[in-house]
Amino acid sequence: MSRTAELRALAARDPKTAEAPLARLLADLFGLRATNVRINLDQYSLNSLNGFFDTEDGAFFFKFHQEEGEEAMAGEYYRADILARAGLPVDQPVHVSTEPGEQILVYRRRDEPRFSDVVRALDLADDAAMRKLAIEAERRLSRRLIATYRASLHPITPDEAAAEPIHRLFHERLIDRLREGGRRYPGGRFADYYVGESFAFPGLELDWADISARRFVINGTAYARSLGELFDAAAARLRPERLADAGGVVAHGDAHNANVWFTRTGETAHLAFFDPAFAGANVPTLLAEVKATFHNVFAHPFWLYDPALASERFSASVQLEPGHLIVETDWALSPVRQGLLEVKAQEVWRPLLADLAARGLLPADWRQVIRLGLFLCPTLVMNLRAGVRSHTPVSSLIGLSVAVMVGSEPVAGEDVVTRFLDAIDPVRG
């Protein structure tokens, strides 16, 4: 096991005990004499570790993303320079280690909040003026993003597509890599989290063989694909080499709002990226904004990162009908999340897809590709089964329902996701 993997596991059990080995790692990698080491286990640290320390040279912030099998990688993470050269606002680290299994970033400590904290406060208590400030900050960032995407959009080969580390957030979590070459499906987090396991919902427990084959009906809307069908489709269509068909762009790739600083100056605010763990110059275009779209919108309010709070604020019930899982829930996007989605649709997705279409790079099944990417975001970022990590029966049911909603077309009618996809469709007026 790599040292970063050991540290993340130790911090999950006993953050205080992990402080001394973390200080030793900082000394070994960067020659830093770290004091007052403090590990920050916030709700957004699903696959990462961050915190603070001091040196004779001032106060610092560290962060690393630790992925299964990272020790086998060779400097694929943390390419902040790619984003900076492309003109995107990105906080540059003062120390970087790209050694396999010891990939970590150190920044000068900043006093401003992360955008995730700002928007979460608006989920808790909406404030129209602050919501407008946050949405306009998102709009400014989105306009810089689309300028970068348009300037960097280019055809890529299957090998170039497959070499990008962003796939570790998607396809690599569905499979096991075999020593003799090739891949095994189901594998990875998918097999570990769900296959053969049981699912506890309010008043009901199902096994994987049962729930994976059922169609969800959510608040009266029936969805065409089951959980099992969605995972199978993602394993086939999101193979890294297949995603070369829409070209590549320079992208952060994992720009959820806990990786974004929020800097306010009077009545305006600006956003800047950090932790570019999956940044690249050939990021498959249809994946570039998927993580940001899901984790900044559909993961909220509360259910992914604050399951206990979601279970207090929302209700969810379930009953069985032949071949179907009938779900009723009052969970819905908050006003700020709806606003962020509208900005993402207007300022980034629609012009990006229009450029792809104009250059003959827009696959006919682009809706499916985006949906499958959105589907994998919640299901493989953490185990959504109740009682395994932090999910309750209520939040687990909400989470799996949201995953199906983003992943599958409805049998008939529309929902928030179909309206989003219609809004970004370049052939619609």
Side-chain angles (χ1 to χ4, degrees), residues 27 188 246 327 344 347 362-363:
V327 179
K344 191 69 74 176
E347 303 289 353
L362 186 64

Side-chain angles (χ1 to χ4, degrees), residues 115 183 185 302 313 368:
F115 197 33
R183 58 196 106 185
Y185 172 82
F302 311 127
R313 294 208 167 203
Q368 178 185 350

Side-chain angles (χ1 to χ4, degrees), residues 127-312:
D127 177 283
M130 190 64 194
R131 171 160 40 96
K132 180 179 179 182
L133 186 73
I135 289 173
E136 288 308 306
E138 178 73 22
R139 192 180 308 278
R140 290 186 188 92
L141 178 63
S142 293
R143 287 174 175 170
R144 295 187 70 172
L145 276 172
I146 191 58
T148 296
Y149 290 160
R150 283 175 157 166
S152 64
L153 176 61
H154 61 287
I156 57 174
T157 67
D159 286 345
E160 287 172 330
E164 287 293 326
I166 194 172
H167 301 295
R168 290 187 166 263
L169 299 173
F170 295 97
H171 192 265
E172 292 293 318
R173 291 175 171 177
L174 290 167
I175 64 167
D176 291 324
R177 290 283 177 181
L178 305 178
R179 286 186 178 180
E180 62 273 17
R183 58 196 106 185
R184 177 172 56 222
Y185 172 82
R189 293 188 180 188
F190 171 43
D192 290 344
Y193 288 179
Y194 305 121
V195 177
E197 301 293 345
S198 62
F199 296 72
F201 302 131
L204 178 67
E205 187 164 330
L206 299 173
D207 61 26
W208 170 249
D210 188 342
I211 192 175
S212 66
R214 290 181 179 271
R215 303 287 196 278
F216 278 59
V217 180
I218 305 168
N219 294 338
T221 299
Y223 288 86
R225 283 179 157 178
S226 67
L227 283 169
E229 290 170 334
L230 287 168
F231 279 116
D232 289 347
R237 184 59 178 94
L238 299 190
R239 286 175 68 106
E241 60 274 14
R242 285 199 64 185
L243 292 172
D245 56 354
V249 291
V250 171
H252 184 290
D254 191 27
H256 59 80
N257 284 334
N259 284 338
V260 180
W261 296 119
F262 177 87
T263 303
R264 181 172 182 174
T265 306
E267 295 307 309
T268 62
H270 299 274
L271 305 179
F273 298 125
F274 67 100
D275 191 23
F278 301 92
N282 298 308
V283 175
T285 306
L286 292 181
L287 283 189
E289 281 295 299
V290 163
K291 288 285 287 188
T293 301
F294 186 88
H295 285 274
N296 298 340
V297 176
F298 296 107
H300 305 272
F302 311 127
W303 71 263
L304 181 62
Y305 298 103
D306 295 286
L309 182 57
S311 302
E312 293 174 5

Side-chain angles (χ1 to χ4, degrees), residues 81-99:
D81 59 314
I82 293 174
L83 303 184
R85 288 197 305 269
L88 289 172
V90 57
D91 192 9
Q92 291 281 27
V94 293
H95 298 287
V96 180
S97 171
T98 58
E99 291 299 313

Side-chain angles (χ1 to χ4, degrees), residues 358-372:
R359 297 184 58 172
L361 290 172
L362 186 64
D365 64 346
W366 63 265
R367 284 182 178 244
Q368 178 185 350
V369 174
I370 293 172
R371 279 190 175 276
L372 293 174

